[in-house]
Amino acid sequence: MSTDEPVAALFRPFWRSRRAAAIAGILFGVLLLTAMVMTRIALAEGSLVVLQSDPQRRTLIRFSLGLVPFAGIAFLWFIGVIREQLGAVEDRLFSTVFFGSGLLFLAMLFVGAITSSSLLDMLDRPGVDAGLWDFGRDNAQGLFAIYAMRMAAVFTLSVSTVGMRAAAMPRWVSFLGYVVALGLLVASNGQPWLQLAFPTWVLLVSIVILVRSSRSPTTPATGTAGRDTPDG
């Protein structure tokens, strides 16, 4: 009994951290998926004239953009906890790529959201410059669909590789991550709905982490108690 208690105390913070990563990833996945789907619906006929004449579409876009900062906070926490969990077993090359690509994705996501918010504010004013609107729209879409999604692909690739090497996730999740990364690298610009694959994959990884962490805390303590019994 006395042997089990220190072991349990040793592993408790570890599994709390894994649960924190899982919860953060789930929040990120749900929030970003919601924001992206709502934006796609609102921009189904997203010409300047349609958006100017339909305040409900603009309200829907504003609400989706309001979710982005909270999704970003959750994603940042997800990155930090995952990196801390890898600890000494992490591959420095892939962990650096994983960390850098995650931060770049987050930065581009925020810049794209800020640009989109500014474009929406333009619609509330009379005499909107159509050329300036087109420039800002193309800039925001290109920043997210081309650059941010490429960084998301690199993030997915590096996390899949590190996770498989460290046995931190099932192999099929890593292989699925490779497929998602390839799709984002090749076709995310031409297929807007394909961009949903990234938050969906993060959501899947987070659920797997949460399920595995809920099963594993008792294993180290039980095994250690079994080995210590003959000595007592």
Side-chain angles (χ1 to χ4, degrees), residues 37-60:
V37 170
M38 291 173 63
T39 302
R40 294 285 178 270
I41 294 173
L43 295 178
E45 297 179 7
S47 65
L48 176 59
V49 176
V50 172
L51 288 175
Q52 280 184 307
S53 60
D54 193 344
Q56 291 184 347
R57 288 179 183 267
R58 299 201 302 270
T59 301
L60 189 61

Side-chain angles (χ1 to χ4, degrees), residues 175-195:
F175 289 136
L176 181 61
Y178 292 145
V179 175
V180 170
L182 180 62
L184 293 176
L185 282 171
V186 174
S188 63
N189 187 32
Q191 302 292 332
W193 288 101
L194 181 61
Q195 298 163 10

Side-chain angles (χ1 to χ4, degrees), residues 155-201:
F155 178 87
T156 304
L157 179 65
S158 57
V159 171
S160 299
T161 302
V162 173
M164 186 162 56
R165 288 185 176 185
M169 64 180 71
R171 295 177 68 86
W172 66 268
V173 176
S174 296
F175 289 136
L176 181 61
Y178 292 145
V179 175
V180 170
L182 180 62
L184 293 176
L185 282 171
V186 174
S188 63
N189 187 32
Q191 302 292 332
W193 288 101
L194 181 61
Q195 298 163 10
L196 299 177
F198 175 62
T200 302
W201 183 80

